[in-house]
Amino acid sequence: MRVTDAFPPVQSHLSPSTASEPRIQGWCPGALRPMPSGDGLVVRVRPTLGRLTPMQAQGLAGLAQQYASPVLELTSRANLQLRGVCPDSYPALINGLRNLGLLDERADVEARRNLLLSPFWTDSDGTPAVCEALTQALAAPDAPTLPSKFGLAIDLGTQPVLRAGSADIRLERQRDQVLVYADGASTGACVSPDRAAQTALELARWFVANGGVVNGRGRMARLLQRQALPTPFTTTSVPEAPAHAATVGRSATGMVVGLEFGQLPADTLHRLAALAPLRITPWRGLVLEGVHTAPALPELITQPGDARLRVMACTGAPGCTQALGPTRALARFLAPLLPAGRTAHVSGCTKGCAHHGATLTLVASDAGYHLIDHGTAHSPPDATGLDAAGIAAYLEQQRLHAPHV
């Protein structure tokens, strides 16, 4: 195969006036508020505690096979997405999700229940109780009206693992208490576990009251650039913590397995559901609860050195109407070219939905792919108009000049 045959040619799926400026929706899809895309409706499911019982997993797999694409997606917020849902099939799908206990009462409650949990939580670390208290508080009539991308990370293990994940309020363990702090802040409030949810909601109300929401959008870190935190959240320093290396293999909770681009075939979900309850990770993988031997399924990534763990890619064209080119075939081509320890992100547009951190990033454009050596999809490019051969040559040049990288 020629290097240029590794993925289809770039084709623009947007008009010239919108090609360089993708439409920012300002919200994420839900189950009760799906998002239209190039391949149908996108329906996002947010399981309680980020966990599927075997019955829920089996039922969800069946719904995907009947009403959507037979390949589900795992997201960086530890949710699942069904794509390709026909509007005519949507009511039946929703009824099935409701019967499985995978729906919130209303769309506004669903949007506010944007909770990111460590997949390694235990009953004893307080996560279920804090999650339940936050769920009730966010569903209450007096809950603050928050942007749909505004999220809370519940990270109560002995070491935080979610600091690289997108969140606006973070809850972490500090000895026998919970440190509640704003994303981007160096200080927070240390409270007892039974006050953690209430304290987090106080911080969310402060965010709203101080102009954090503009035209329905807003993030905590941006507000902190112009607004000082209230005194209760300046009393305890946020401790340093080693970066969590997301990997696969055995954990105290169970076997952690990865999936290429977070794509989970419904048949695979059926098979895994027969083994154990499943927890969704924010690294587009699963934890097989209580299982310590990986199933022999070729689609599962079970070895830390697997090259597929080095690449991230969004749906790309033609599945996404905003993408200016395909993404996943290029990502597969790049994976074995990357040295161990380096990652790459291929994005169909400058939104960069698949990955928000700085890394080697390729962004589709009308005239090939822009390359950002270390940045995000909206960073200034270091090279433009590249095809697969040009990207490969760039990586080879880097290897020759910096063989230690």
Side-chain angles (χ1 to χ4, degrees), residues 366-378:
D366 289 329
Y369 289 84
H370 297 334
L371 184 149
I372 300 99
D373 188 77
H374 185 75
T376 66
H378 56 266

Side-chain angles (χ1 to χ4, degrees), residues 152-231:
L152 297 90
I154 306 173
D155 200 4
L156 302 182
T158 54
Q159 286 286 346
V161 299
L162 300 178
R163 288 195 177 177
S166 176
D168 296 272
I169 296 175
R170 301 183 182 275
L171 294 83
E172 296 176 359
R173 176 161 302 283
Q174 191 161 97
R175 294 180 293 278
D176 59 347
Q177 293 192 302
V178 176
L179 178 64
V180 181
Y181 67 98
D183 182 54
S186 59
T187 60
C190 214
V191 298
S192 61
D194 60 353
R195 291 195 60 241
Q198 174 188 339
T199 304
L201 262 290
E202 290 171 359
L203 186 54
R205 290 191 175 93
W206 172 85
F207 170 82
V208 174
N210 284 271
V213 185
V214 180
N215 297 325
R217 303 177 187 174
R219 303 304 299 263
M220 180 68 80
R222 182 167 296 180
L223 177 62
L224 294 188
Q225 294 174 1
R226 63 178 190 272
Q227 186 71 42
L229 283 166
T231 300

